[in-house]
Amino acid sequence: MTIDRTFEDESAGGSSTPAENMSPILISNEVIDQAKLSRPHKATKRSIRLVNCTGDKLRKLTIPVGKRFQADIPKWNKALAYDYNLESSKWLGEKIWPIGSGNINTNIEMIGKGRPESSCSCDFPGSIECIKSHIHEERLRLLSEVGDAFYSWGCDKMGEAVSESWTLKEQNNFNKLFGTRTLSYEGFWRRAVKCLPMKQRESIVSFYFNVFVLRNVSRQARLPSPVIDSDDDNK
Ligand SMILES: [Zn+2]
């Protein structure tokens, strides 16, 4: 049995530049263009399916088949699945919420639709401050509804709230560091950890995704002709 898989054409060869090593989310168009100019023409990445079509190259990944390579999955038994006394039930985890036979009043109609326009009485509806205050209200409401589950689910480590454990100076340092980035993806995070000695790498990555990227997108979305580039900071 063989399957197709996507791969980068190795025949293109050549050493990669730091810009090529960076994550797409960390790289601006400007850096990409410079990287393109500074290296010879490189073959476009193509999936093996396309390569096979054109007959340029044939390369397949072999998946071994046989007793030694297959998982033994027992037949699904609906009746047993609901028996929580089973030894296997220990893998099902622990119920966190609702506690006991708590009632869940969820308005499924509202899920994914956002806040109705009419519900806002802010001075500047849709402004950054308006959105911030509504997110804050909803967080408090969620906390009061689900209690400790709020923390078990990691809701306290999501969104703008992540910045609460960062001083203004630390935030500015991160912004400056990102604005002058010329390093590879790995190099950038290594330097960030060095420049922010009070922060763990996990905390810095969390700040980047939960705060830095969202602030940029939020600001850019409000420009007269918005062009969303999550990295486009300090320009
Ligand atoms: Zn509002």
Side-chain angles (χ1 to χ4, degrees), residues 168-194:
L168 260 185
K169 194 178 171 201
E170 286 168 338
Q171 296 186 36
N172 286 337
N173 283 349
F174 182 91
N175 293 345
K176 265 187 223 156
L177 186 64
F178 195 86
T180 56
R181 70 196 184 280
T182 53
L183 300 162
S184 67
Y185 177 77
E186 261 309 304
F188 172 75
W189 293 116
R190 263 203 304 275
R191 191 156 162 228
V193 171
K194 252 189 190 170

Side-chain angles (χ1 to χ4, degrees), residues 115 117 119-127 129-131 133-134 137:
R115 182 173 42 83
E117 289 279 321
S119 70
C120 181
S121 57
C122 296
D123 289 340
F124 300 101
S127 66
E129 287 312 313
C130 156
I131 305 291
S133 72
H134 296 304
E137 285 163 12

